[in-house]
Amino acid sequence: MIKKHQILESAVENLRNQCQRIRVEVCPQFNWDCDGLIEISGIQFRCEIKQYVKSSHIPSIINQCKRDGTNLLVAEYISRTSMERLVEQDINVLDTSGNCFIEITDRLFIHITGNKKILSEKEKGMNFKISGIKVLFSILTLEDEQIPSIRNLASKSGSSNGTVKHVIDVLESNGYIFSSGKNKFIKDRERLLEDWVSLFNRSQRSALQIGRASWIISNKEWQKVSLPEGMIWGGDPGAYLMNGYMTPAEFCIYTELPVREIVKTKAMVPNKEGDIIFYQKFWEGKLSELGSAILFYADLINQNNSRCLEAARKIRDERLTYTK
């Protein structure tokens, strides 16, 4: 509760500083049927308080807020797209940077955007480049909690020993892993997974995009396509092949080959305006079942629509068992 109280106080203070003509106060609570109460311009709001709001959390947050009668979600950080989806469901939002969308019909309307989250030194340390992303991915695909030696992890991820050591040091300082004697172990896979997905989609996905292609055949016949060795389906089709849950609507391919090799399928042709996206393969060797689940989960989260988020939740619950 101390952390939640700090988030609420910080959010209220920043909102108050930006809306100096509006009275904003934290109210005392006499029963604990919600995380907090605040009053804005004489209107009381029941608050649900979170540290981070990520795309994968949206469906459960919407259900929880509507079930509990919450009318203001307060968080340390809420992405812009997450804010938009929550507002569409009539849930008011406020973060600790002072960004908000708060509306009570004919009584109150406050909309503030563009305030940047100030990163702590630890959070800045987690802003890895692609080599660090590869190391994190390799750690997430480990079958047990023990982290191999720096040399072995460097070989597994295709990174240098120096990069691996830096990543391990940052993870340890941020509480993702811990030491026991000479060995290191993963402490919080769920948090590491969610933060890797967010970091990958936010800062490195676009750097890995190497081209596009267009369909020659109908995209409904995609399962008839035999991809060249060195290419695999990602996103919707990858997820479909894993669990058959969602009929693909968007298509992406991970490849270690030039995009032009796709003509061998006689189903696609390179086209910089095409709707099939190609990403450079960033892992070593063949992708494991666990690695595939993590990759497809990240792809679906990146699309940020209700259809893909539900498919991502299904993969997380069925294939990424450490997140339960």
Side-chain angles (χ1 to χ4, degrees):
M1 291 304 296
I2 294 175
K3 179 62 177 177
K4 288 188 175 183
H5 180 72
Q6 291 172 342
I7 291 173
L8 184 62
E9 290 283 358
S10 178
V12 165
E13 181 181 1
N14 278 321
L15 181 61
R16 189 185 292 132
N17 289 339
Q18 294 177 99
C19 304
Q20 297 183 9
R21 295 184 180 182
I22 296 177
R23 185 171 177 269
V24 185
E25 300 290 343
V26 177
C27 304
Q29 283 183 262
F30 300 104
N31 54 62
W32 294 95
D33 60 346
C34 62
D35 288 341
L37 294 171
I38 68 172
E39 189 174 285
I40 305 174
S41 193
I43 302 171
Q44 194 170 88
F45 292 83
R46 292 167 52 85
C47 303
E48 176 71 24
I49 302 174
K50 303 286 187 184
Q51 185 169 9
Y52 295 103
V53 176
K54 297 171 181 174
S55 298
S56 58
H57 302 156
I58 296 297
S60 61
I61 287 176
I62 290 172
N63 290 335
Q64 181 181 354
C65 287
K66 291 190 173 183
R67 183 188 67 235
D68 298 341
T70 302
N71 58 355
L72 180 63
L73 177 70
V74 182
E76 189 170 340
Y77 173 76
I78 310 174
S79 70
R80 182 175 178 178
T81 51
S82 294
M83 272 198 174
E84 291 171 352
R85 289 203 63 220
L86 290 163
V87 170
E88 288 172 358
Q89 296 296 318
D90 298 321
I91 298 171
N92 296 303
V93 288
L94 169 67
D95 69 21
T96 56
S97 300
N99 299 301
C100 66
F101 195 108
I102 301 171
E103 181 177 15
I104 302 295
T105 305
D106 298 329
R107 298 181 65 190
L108 180 68
F109 180 78
I110 308 173
H111 185 197
I112 301 171
T113 61
N115 294 329
K116 302 296 184 182
K117 182 178 185 292
I118 299 174
L119 298 177
S120 67
E121 289 305 312
K122 285 186 176 182
E123 288 174 309
K124 289 177 182 177
M126 285 293 290
N127 191 25
F128 298 117
K129 301 301 183 185
I130 190 61
S131 56
I133 297 289
K134 291 165 65 175
V135 176
L136 289 178
F137 185 72
S138 294
I139 291 173
L140 283 169
T141 60
L142 294 172
E143 295 296 336
D144 56 42
E145 307 304 311
Q146 184 171 345
I147 295 174
S149 68
I150 287 177
R151 179 177 296 178
N152 287 344
L153 191 53
S155 176
K156 176 179 173 63
S157 63
S159 303
S160 68
N161 289 350
T163 295
V164 172
K165 185 179 186 308
H166 171 66
V167 171
I168 294 296
D169 288 345
V170 172
L171 291 180
E172 192 162 16
S173 69
N174 280 272
Y176 294 98
I177 62 177
F178 68 96
S179 296
S180 178
K182 294 182 179 180
N183 298 317
K184 296 185 185 296
F185 299 87
I186 303 171
K187 178 182 180 181
D188 195 342
R189 275 188 186 257
E190 181 176 358
R191 183 163 67 100
L192 183 57
L193 170 69
E194 295 296 343
D195 288 348
W196 178 84
V197 168
S198 177
L199 181 61
F200 174 63
N201 285 336
R202 182 181 72 244
S203 64
Q204 294 302 326
R205 177 177 289 278
S206 59
L208 291 171
Q209 185 174 325
I210 58 173
R212 289 176 174 264
S214 294
W215 291 100
I216 299 174
I217 63 173
S218 168
N219 62 13
K220 294 180 180 179
E221 298 182 277
W222 69 274
Q223 289 189 76
K224 298 179 181 179
V225 178
S226 179
L227 294 179
E229 188 73 25
M231 292 186 180
I232 69 163
W233 292 109
D236 292 20
Y240 179 87
L241 292 172
M242 174 167 281
N243 62 16
Y245 175 71
M246 181 180 68
T247 301
E250 307 288 337
F251 295 85
C252 74
I253 293 172
Y254 287 88
T255 180
E256 59 188 33
L257 305 174
V259 176
R260 64 176 178 271
E261 293 293 312
I262 200 64
V263 299
K264 294 178 180 178
T265 65
K266 299 181 180 180
M268 311 171 204
V269 290
N271 179 357
K272 64 180 181 180
E273 304 297 331
D275 55 5
I276 306 159
I277 303 175
F278 284 76
Y279 295 106
Q280 181 67 51
K281 176 188 171 187
F282 61 90
W283 59 90
E284 297 296 307
K286 185 177 180 180
L287 202 57
S288 67
E289 184 175 336
L290 177 57
S292 297
I294 293 169
L295 182 66
F296 303 154
Y297 177 70
D299 289 339
L300 293 169
I301 291 294
N302 185 61
Q303 293 188 52
N304 198 39
N305 60 59
S306 57
R307 171 178 165 275
C308 289
L309 292 178
E310 178 59 26
R313 183 198 62 78
K314 194 170 183 67
I315 286 178
R316 184 190 65 210
D317 292 347
E318 294 179 354
R319 305 284 178 160
L320 305 175
T321 54
Y322 51 75
T323 67
K324 289 184 178 178

